């Protein structure tokens, strides 16, 4: 009698246990559940990316900085980013420190793209120094070119109203909330309208590089302001 | 701004060109950087170790010493470097702060030394990086506790003029302060023990009487137990009321845990008195007697260990909560599983899930009573899994609680150890300090010797004297000497002409002796200055309690020769006590004391033990009647070491010629 009970019960138990284990294994094979939290891919990220810039002479030739200035620039750059490259997050952090009241991340993103000329997602010292060379030692033409490049988000040669609006919003975001007079929702839009009215000569809704440069060269304010940062370094 | 921003500011400014075409109004002018000096290397010499860095690195933090012009004070012209006489090891971390923008706390440094360096260089400790901040804060807290412990011991000292209430409260809180408090402490402890034992014994079956079966002692000897209970409760009530009366803040006392325990311990008795033998409520009354067991908690006032345990449990509340929560979860899971596993078997004790709770708890805590056991195979499998997991779940939070307890316990031990070592430590410090004071006296005495020697003229002795004192010491002695001279008759009083009043430094011994003499005699209070009277008692009795590092205690004394007040002569010493000097007879004596503390002063007829302690100033007068055999007249050389004579019958003061 007892053995009969044990048989049935034993079989039942074994059946249940097997079923449970099999289902767990199936789910694991299907990848729906994972037992260990860290996957192997995470471990590869730990290897640091390092980058060494080209030699001092080459950079001297390519940019308009003197040797001493390049040395000072590199020391500051390397101090902040010991690995030699800046990725976008670090860049946003650094840039945000200058604008504590507002949110500088959107503008920093555009800026990063403008500096990152080879579009590899990280800013090396060469990119950094080339950009600075244009901004600080370049001709007005080059500077305006650079600015156009900044505004043209998708780099297709035309600035559309949407692109300009994005840039404008990003700039206004940097101001933050506590401004006088208080920033309203349509202020960036109005500003874009003003800009397009000024720049878009043939009223086709986009601004090309020539329209842009022409218009800026005719504007005294803009011309003067191009020179105020000459003595930065 | 942090390091990075300083270096990247030119970049941010250059990138601002991107806003120019968008802007519709003219831009402000940029500030000119007129100080266009080239970036140079600065040499920092810290106790011989040389550090070099760029000037711009240091300029990053202009509100610190190194970043501002404050460092010019440390500039060494000849070597063209900045010299700091500080610890070079700590300076490393400080310089690294300038370089990297992060301040680290080196673990092997003493926390107060590190703090001092930070203060010196003008850096606030709050900017310590996250990696080191916890360690820093922990060490700082430990240090603070250590200082607090030292301060707490001072509260054991009796302040004068305490009201009865304050005395009582002190007696309650620190039983070792007075005998009465100790007696009270032991008596209450004894009665708590009696009360608890009574409660326990009450329930023991005492043996059968002819007309009743085996009944507990409580019912057999009702009267005796009732009397015992009454006595205990009366003692507790009296104690509670006394504490309530003595407490500085009654409201706070009533809210404290110990007072609540006190109340809960004695309340059942009173409720029992109030309630009559009503059948309905007597059941409730019996339950109330359970609360009498709370009397055992009153022992926590008597035991340090209990308090530590309670404190530990309080501080580990979150771990205990976690333990409880995880246990509950596990119990519910396993109880459910066991119930369903055992459902099939007949005559199973697992009648419902709550019924299975009991089995699960007993199994998980590895008790295993055996009153409920699974019969099916599935039940047995899950039962074994249950007991294994029980061991694990309970073992996890326990080490956290244990480490907490250990930390608190060791802290306590440390405090006790420190208190025990404190006495010897302070005694040694006192000896060292008095060495310097005694040195002054020795040099003065040597100075007199010097004058005499000039008459007799032995050159070697003079050289010896000059060599023995360093420049610092001699300057210090000169300062003290000036102070002595200052106290010569500040006011032009006609009576003053008769005696030159000068104060000088004496040993505390003599001071105490004189104090005693003064106290034994009664003197007419002639002083117009009100404070001086009070100061006399304070000086005499308070000398022991004031901190020992002040070298000046001014004693007021009497001078019968000049009945009108010398009291105008109020000397303002460093601790602000005043002197009131009146006329008095003077005797001759020499105050000269051995200079090194190792030399025991040779005193004849002196019963005081040797304490080389702080020195005191006493008013002294030119002697009229030479009393002591070792009278000091100017031509006579004082013998070192000589003791001063103060015959107890006389109001004697020190004598010396001080002009």
């Amino acid at each position: 009698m007892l053995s009969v009970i044990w048989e049935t019960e034993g079989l039942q138990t074994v059946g249940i246990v097997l079923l449970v284990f099999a289902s767990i294994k199936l789910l694991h094979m299907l990848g729906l559940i994972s037992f260990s939290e860290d996957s192997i891919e995470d471990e590869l990220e730990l290897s640091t990316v390092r980058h060494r810039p080209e030699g001092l002479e080459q950079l001297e030739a390519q940019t308009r900085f003197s040797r001493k200035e390049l040395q000072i620039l590199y020391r500051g750059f390397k101090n902040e980013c010991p690995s030699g490259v800046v990725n976008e997050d670090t860049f946003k952090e650094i840039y945000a420190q200058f604008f504590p009241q507002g949110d500088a991340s959107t503008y920093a993103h555009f800026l990063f793209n403008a500096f990152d000329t080879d579009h590899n997602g990280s800013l090396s010292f060469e990119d950094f120094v080339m950009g600075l060379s244009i901004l600080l030692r370049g001709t007005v033409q080059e500077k305006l070119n650079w600015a156009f490049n900044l505004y043209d988000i998708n780099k297709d040669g035309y600035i559309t109203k949407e692109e300009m609006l994005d840039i404008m919003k990003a700039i206004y975001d940097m101001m933050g909330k506590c401004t006088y007079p208080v920033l309203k929702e349509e202020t960036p839009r109005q500003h874009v309208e003003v800009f397009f009215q000024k720049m878009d000569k043939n009223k086709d809704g986009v601004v090309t590089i020539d329209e842009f440069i022409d218009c800026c060269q005719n504007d005294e304010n803009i011309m003067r302001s191009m020179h105020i940062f000459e003595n930065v370094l | 701004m942090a390091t990075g921003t300083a270096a990247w500011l030119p970049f941010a400014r250059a990138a601002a060109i991107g806003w120019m075409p968008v802007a519709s109004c003219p831009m402000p002018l940029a500030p000119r950087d007129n100080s266009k000096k080239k970036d140079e290397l600065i040499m920092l010499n810290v106790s011989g170790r040389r550090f070099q860095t760029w000037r711009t690195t240091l300029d990053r933090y202009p509100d610190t010493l190194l970043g501002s012009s404050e460092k010019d004070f440390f500039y060494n012209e000849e070597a063209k470097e900045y010299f700091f006489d500080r610890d070079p090891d700590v300076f490393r971390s400080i310089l690294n702060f300038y370089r990297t923008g992060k301040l680290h706390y080196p673990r092997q440094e003493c926390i107060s030394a590190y703090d001092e360096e930070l203060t010196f260089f003008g850096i606030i400790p709050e900017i310590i990086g996250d990696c080191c901040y916890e360690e820093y804060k922990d060490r700082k807290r430990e240090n603070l506790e250590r200082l607090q412990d030292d301060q707490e011991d001072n509260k054991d000292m009796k302040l004068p003029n305490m009201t009865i209430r304050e005395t009582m409260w002190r007696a309650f809180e620190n039983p070792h302060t007075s005998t009465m408090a100790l007696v009270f402490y032991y008596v209450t402890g004894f009665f708590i023990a009696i009360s608890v034992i009574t409660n326990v014994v009450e329930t023991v079956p005492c043996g059968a009487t002819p007309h009743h079966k085996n009944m507990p002692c409580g019912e057999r000897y009702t009267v005796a137990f009732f009397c015992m209970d009454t006595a205990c409760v009366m003692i507790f009530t009296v104690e509670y009321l006394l504490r309530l009366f003595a407490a500085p803040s009654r409201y706070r006392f009533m809210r404290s845990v110990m007072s609540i325990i006190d109340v809960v311990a004695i309340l059942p008795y009173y409720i029992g008195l109030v309630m009559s033998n009503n059948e309905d409520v007597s059941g409730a009354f019996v339950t109330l007697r359970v609360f009498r067991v709370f009397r055992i908690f009153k022992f926590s006032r008597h035991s340090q260990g209990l308090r530590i345990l309670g404190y530990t449990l309080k501080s580990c509340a979150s771990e205990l909560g976690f333990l409880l929560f995880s246990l509950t979860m596990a119990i519910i899971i396993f109880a459910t599983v066991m119930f369903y596993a055992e459902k099939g078997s007949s005559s199973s004790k697992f009648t419902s899930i709550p019924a299975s709770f009991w089995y699960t708890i007993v199994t998980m805590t590895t008790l295993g009573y055996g009153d409920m056991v699974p019969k099916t195979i599935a039940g047995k499998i899950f039962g074994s899994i249950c007991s294994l997991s029980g061991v694990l779940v309970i073992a996890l939070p326990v080490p956290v609680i244990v480490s907490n307890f250990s930390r608190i316990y060791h802290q306590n031990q440390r405090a006790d150890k420190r208190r025990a070592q404190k006495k010897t430590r302070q005694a040694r410090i006192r000896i060292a300090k008095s060495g310097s004071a005694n040195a002054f006296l020795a040099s003065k005495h040597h100075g007199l010797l010097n004058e005499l020697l000039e008459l007799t003229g032995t050159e070697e002795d003079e050289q010896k004297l000059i060599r023995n004192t360093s420049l610092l010491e001699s300057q210090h002695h000169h300062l003290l000497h000036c102070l002595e001279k200052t106290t010569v008759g500040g006011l032009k009083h006609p009576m003053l002409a008769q005696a030159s009043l000068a104060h000088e430094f004496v040993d505390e011994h003599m001071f105490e002796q004189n104090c005693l003499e003064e106290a034994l005699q009664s003197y007419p209070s002639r002083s117009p200055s009100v404070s001086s009277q009070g100061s006399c008692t304070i000086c005499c009795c308070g000398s022991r309690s004031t901190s020992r590092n002040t070298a000046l205690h001014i004693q007021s004394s009497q001078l019968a020769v000049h009945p009108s007040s010398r009291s105008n002569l109020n000397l303002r010493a460093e601790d602000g006590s005043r002197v009131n000097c009146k006329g008095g007879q003077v005797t001759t004596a020499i105050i000269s004391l051995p200079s090194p503390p190792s030399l025991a002063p040779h005193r004849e007829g002196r019963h005081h033990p040797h304490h080389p302690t702080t020195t005191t100033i006493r008013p002294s007068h030119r002697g009229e009647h030479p009393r002591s055999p070792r009278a000091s007249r100017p031509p006579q050389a004082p013998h070192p070491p000589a003791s001063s004579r103060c015959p107890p019958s006389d109001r004697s003061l020190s004598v010396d010629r001080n002009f």
Side-chain angles (χ1 to χ4, degrees):
Chain A
M1 266 299 288
L2 213 58
S3 55
V4 172
I5 298 176
W6 280 353
E7 258 180 54
T8 44
E9 277 197 23
L11 284 175
Q12 266 177 13
T13 317
V14 170
I16 293 172
V17 167
L18 279 178
L19 217 73
V20 167
F21 279 136
S23 51
I24 289 179
K25 191 73 193 160
L26 186 68
L27 288 174
H28 184 52
M29 275 203 305
L30 289 179
L32 290 175
I33 50 176
S34 58
F35 287 127
S36 63
E37 286 299 323
D38 328 298
S39 47
I40 310 181
E41 296 93 52
D42 293 336
E43 297 190 13
L44 286 176
E45 264 184 51
L46 291 174
S47 62
T48 50
V49 176
R50 269 196 213 87
H51 176 89
R52 215 177 294 145
E54 307 165 6
L56 206 48
E57 290 84 14
Q58 281 154 299
L59 280 178
E60 224 183 328
Q62 286 167 5
T63 65
R64 298 195 189 89
F65 289 120
S66 72
R67 230 181 142 81
K68 258 245 158 348
E69 289 166 339
L70 281 174
Q71 281 179 338
I72 295 176
L73 278 173
Y74 188 65
R75 280 207 293 265
F77 183 84
K78 183 107 175 141
N79 223 2
E80 185 59 19
C81 319
S83 57
V85 290
V86 192
N87 57 5
E88 191 163 338
D89 294 323
T90 324
F91 185 82
K92 281 186 180 165
E93 262 179 50
I94 296 174
Y95 200 70
Q97 283 174 20
F98 292 106
F99 305 99
Q101 307 102 321
D103 173 28
S105 49
T106 338
Y107 189 71
H109 167 76
F110 294 133
L111 210 54
F112 186 82
N113 286 339
F115 268 89
D116 188 16
T117 41
D118 46 1
H119 301 288
N120 58 352
S122 64
L123 204 58
S124 67
F125 183 61
E126 288 94 336
D127 300 331
F128 179 70
V129 117
M130 306 274 206
L132 274 187
S133 165
I134 297 175
L135 288 172
L136 297 177
R137 305 286 154 97
T139 63
V140 176
Q141 184 91 358
E142 288 171 345
K143 290 181 191 173
L144 291 172
N145 225 337
W146 188 90
F148 185 85
N149 201 24
L150 173 68
Y151 301 148
D152 187 11
I153 297 178
N154 53 1
K155 316 280 180 242
D156 59 355
Y158 300 105
I159 305 180
T160 63
K161 271 204 182 149
E162 287 75 26
E163 287 174 343
M164 203 56 226
L165 189 58
D166 283 338
I167 300 267
M168 201 63 75
K169 279 211 194 119
I171 295 179
Y172 274 94
D173 277 344
M174 278 197 291
M175 287 288 294
K177 300 231 180 359
C178 316
T179 54
Y180 178 77
V182 180
L183 288 176
K184 298 193 280 276
E185 271 297 313
E186 58 272 8
T187 321
R189 194 172 290 276
Q190 285 170 355
H191 205 139
V192 169
E193 292 298 325
V194 167
F195 179 79
F196 261 76
Q197 254 181 354
K198 207 168 37 160
M199 300 279 165
D200 194 6
K201 286 289 166 352
N202 55 1
K203 304 292 173 214
D204 56 355
V206 292
V207 177
T208 61
I209 178 85
D210 305 306
E211 285 176 345
F212 183 72
I213 294 184
D214 269 335
C215 181
C216 286
Q217 278 176 336
N218 292 336
D219 190 332
E220 265 193 36
N221 277 337
I222 297 181
M223 280 294 111
R224 206 173 323 133
S225 56
M226 282 287 154
H227 296 285
I228 59 172
F229 289 119
E230 304 247 282
N231 57 350
V232 163
L233 205 58
Chain B
M1 285 206 295
T3 320
T5 52
W8 284 66
L9 188 58
F11 163 76
R13 295 179 73 200
I17 288 187
W19 308 334
M20 300 302 142
V22 176
S24 30
C25 37
M27 291 286 143
L29 287 173
R32 292 211 56 96
D33 182 15
N34 285 328
S35 66
K36 256 302 184 186
K37 53 176 178 238
K38 289 185 335 186
D39 201 6
E40 48 173 2
L41 277 180
I42 297 189
M43 172 88 82
L44 299 162
N45 184 351
V46 183
S47 303
R49 210 188 292 181
R50 287 190 161 71
F51 297 88
Q52 277 183 302
T53 183
W54 296 109
R55 178 177 290 279
T56 47
T57 313
L58 292 181
D59 288 340
R60 279 178 197 151
Y61 299 98
D63 52 355
T64 57
L65 186 150
L66 290 173
S68 64
S69 57
E70 198 183 337
K71 63 177 183 287
D72 295 338
F73 286 101
F74 298 93
Y75 190 64
N76 185 357
E77 291 293 341
E78 297 115 24
K80 294 256 179 291
E81 62 185 11
Y82 293 90
F83 181 74
F84 296 97
D85 204 3
R86 311 289 296 186
D87 188 0
D89 290 326
V90 180
F91 188 76
R92 247 190 61 233
S93 332
I94 291 180
L95 196 54
N96 276 337
F97 165 62
Y98 286 89
R99 293 183 181 136
T100 61
K102 296 205 239 335
L103 182 62
H104 294 283
Y105 168 59
R107 277 169 175 71
Q108 74 274 13
E109 292 292 338
C110 171
I111 185 77
S112 33
Y114 188 72
D115 259 344
E116 266 178 43
E117 296 293 315
L118 284 186
T119 322
F120 180 83
F121 284 104
I123 299 175
I124 49 172
E126 270 62 39
I127 46 180
I128 290 185
D130 289 336
C131 42
C132 301
Y133 192 62
E134 297 165 27
E135 171 86 16
Y136 172 79
K137 271 295 177 201
D138 280 343
R139 296 271 291 260
K140 199 146 183 202
R141 191 172 31 91
E142 263 181 50
N143 209 29
L144 216 61
E145 281 171 1
R146 201 166 293 154
L147 291 175
Q148 255 179 15
D149 277 342
D150 286 341
Q151 276 173 18
E152 257 179 25
D153 293 338
N154 293 343
K155 79 173 184 230
D156 284 349
M157 290 194 249
K158 193 176 168 68
L159 304 158
N161 311 332
M162 284 205 324
T163 63
I164 296 192
R165 205 172 141 184
E166 285 171 7
T167 333
M168 269 175 67
W169 182 248
R170 234 186 82 232
F172 281 135
E173 293 297 301
N174 308 320
H176 53 271
T177 46
S178 73
T179 346
M180 270 306 296
L182 213 55
V183 163
F184 183 76
Y185 175 78
Y186 281 124
V187 162
T188 42
F190 175 69
F191 272 98
I192 296 174
I194 289 278
S195 163
V196 168
I197 293 176
T198 316
N199 285 346
V200 165
V201 168
E202 221 173 36
T203 59
V204 171
C206 251
T209 61
H211 36 269
H212 286 284
K213 281 206 316 227
N214 220 0
M215 53 197 276
C217 282
E219 289 177 25
R220 202 158 154 200
Y221 304 104
T222 322
V223 177
F225 280 104
F226 182 73
C227 289
M228 199 97 86
D229 206 18
T230 313
C232 294
V233 168
M234 273 209 298
I235 300 270
F236 295 152
T237 317
V238 163
E239 181 206 349
Y240 181 70
L241 290 174
L242 281 179
R243 273 184 208 265
L244 192 61
F245 166 68
S249 156
R250 300 219 169 99
Y251 178 60
R252 204 157 59 100
F253 172 73
M254 282 178 54
R255 282 192 316 174
S256 73
V257 174
M258 289 311 300
S259 105
I260 293 179
I261 289 178
D262 286 339
V263 167
V264 167
I266 58 182
L267 221 43
Y269 177 80
Y270 289 110
I271 296 180
L273 279 184
V274 164
M275 277 201 294
S276 54
N277 275 339
N278 199 348
E279 282 305 313
D280 299 329
V281 284
S282 74
F285 169 62
V286 166
T287 330
L288 265 183
R289 299 179 100 192
V290 162
F291 285 103
R292 291 187 306 175
V293 81
F294 272 78
R295 288 178 196 170
I296 207 171
F297 284 118
K298 287 163 69 81
F299 266 132
S300 66
R301 275 209 188 96
H302 297 249
S303 155
Q304 179 83 319
L306 262 183
R307 274 205 297 270
I308 294 180
L309 190 61
Y311 185 64
T312 310
L313 290 177
K314 205 165 51 154
S315 70
C316 301
S318 66
E319 280 80 31
L320 287 174
F322 161 67
L323 175 62
L324 227 57
F325 181 66
S326 60
L327 263 181
T328 315
M329 255 178 33
I331 287 172
I332 295 179
I333 291 175
F334 279 109
T336 314
V337 166
M338 289 308 294
F339 172 69
Y340 282 111
E342 285 287 303
K343 201 153 185 235
S345 94
S346 55
S347 76
S348 112
K349 294 237 175 73
F350 295 78
T351 48
S352 65
I353 294 187
S356 317
F357 280 167
W358 175 244
Y359 168 76
T360 321
I361 292 176
V362 166
T363 313
M364 281 187 88
T365 52
T366 70
L367 274 177
Y369 288 135
D371 51 351
M372 281 165 86
V373 281
K375 295 203 172 57
T376 60
I377 296 185
K380 286 187 179 158
I381 292 178
F382 289 120
S384 43
I385 297 178
C386 172
S387 65
L388 287 174
S389 60
V391 168
L392 284 175
V393 165
I394 292 185
L396 286 176
V398 167
V400 177
I401 299 176
V402 165
S403 77
N404 250 359
F405 181 79
S406 158
R407 179 176 60 85
I408 297 173
Y409 182 71
H410 281 128
Q411 225 170 345
N412 234 13
Q413 289 261 355
R414 253 210 324 264
D416 288 338
K417 248 196 294 191
R418 247 201 317 281
R419 235 168 281 153
Q421 293 165 349
K422 196 169 155 167
K423 287 200 169 54
T424 39
R425 190 164 153 253
Q426 287 195 342
R428 282 214 315 272
I429 293 178
R430 265 205 306 276
I431 291 175
K433 280 199 182 137
S434 70
S436 73
N438 288 337
F440 170 59
L441 295 163
S443 81
K444 221 179 44 161
H445 139 77
H446 282 141
L448 292 172
L449 190 57
N450 220 358
E451 290 170 26
L452 304 166
L453 282 177
E454 273 166 18
L455 307 174
T456 55
T458 40
E459 281 227 0
E460 302 126 28
D461 291 335
E462 277 186 44
Q463 301 289 354
K464 251 191 296 190
L465 290 169
I466 295 170
R467 221 184 329 127
N468 281 346
T469 52
S470 70
L471 180 63
L472 205 62
E473 266 185 61
S474 51
Q475 286 175 348
H476 186 213
H477 295 335
H478 175 251
L479 180 68
L480 294 173
H481 209 104
C482 290
L483 182 59
E484 278 188 355
K485 288 287 191 269
T486 312
T487 64
V488 177
L491 299 165
K492 293 284 181 260
H493 199 280
M495 301 293 188
L496 279 178
Q498 299 206 16
S500 68
L501 184 71
H503 298 76
E504 43 173 64
F505 293 94
V506 304
D507 186 20
E508 191 176 279
H509 256 310
M510 255 152 311
F511 171 68
E512 283 171 15
Q513 170 116 27
N514 287 333
C515 230
L516 206 60
E517 288 159 11
E518 297 299 322
L520 289 174
Q521 296 143 12
S522 61
Y523 37 82
S525 66
R526 299 235 202 167
S527 65
S529 69
V530 179
S531 63
S532 59
Q533 275 308 90
S535 76
C536 176
T537 44
I538 287 179
C539 281
C540 287
C541 312
S543 68
R544 240 181 281 263
S545 60
T546 53
S547 61
R548 303 215 179 247
N549 50 15
T550 58
L552 305 168
H553 295 271
I554 316 295
Q555 178 203 356
S556 66
S557 58
Q558 264 195 90
L559 309 160
V561 173
H562 306 280
S564 66
S565 49
R566 180 83 50 163
S567 56
N568 295 339
L569 190 73
N570 280 326
L571 179 69
R572 246 205 138 65
E574 278 131 296
D575 56 354
S577 49
R578 290 163 180 259
V579 68
N580 178 21
C581 305
K582 300 185 190 168
Q585 294 166 9
V586 295
T587 60
T588 64
I590 300 169
I591 315 300
S592 63
L593 290 159
S595 55
S598 53
L599 267 180
H602 178 58
R603 291 169 202 287
E604 290 131 30
R606 258 288 141 165
H607 308 296
H608 296 288
H610 165 56
H611 307 286
T613 49
T614 59
T615 60
T616 58
I617 296 183
R618 293 163 54 188
S620 65
H621 303 273
R622 184 161 26 154
E624 304 286 308
H625 325 284
R627 288 303 201 102
S628 70
R630 302 191 193 192
S632 82
R633 290 289 178 192
Q636 287 179 20
H639 310 266
S643 61
S644 63
R645 291 255 128 184
C646 301
S649 60
D650 205 282
R651 265 168 284 130
S652 62
L653 301 168
S654 68
V655 148
D656 206 339
R657 249 178 63 114
N658 281 322
F659 282 105

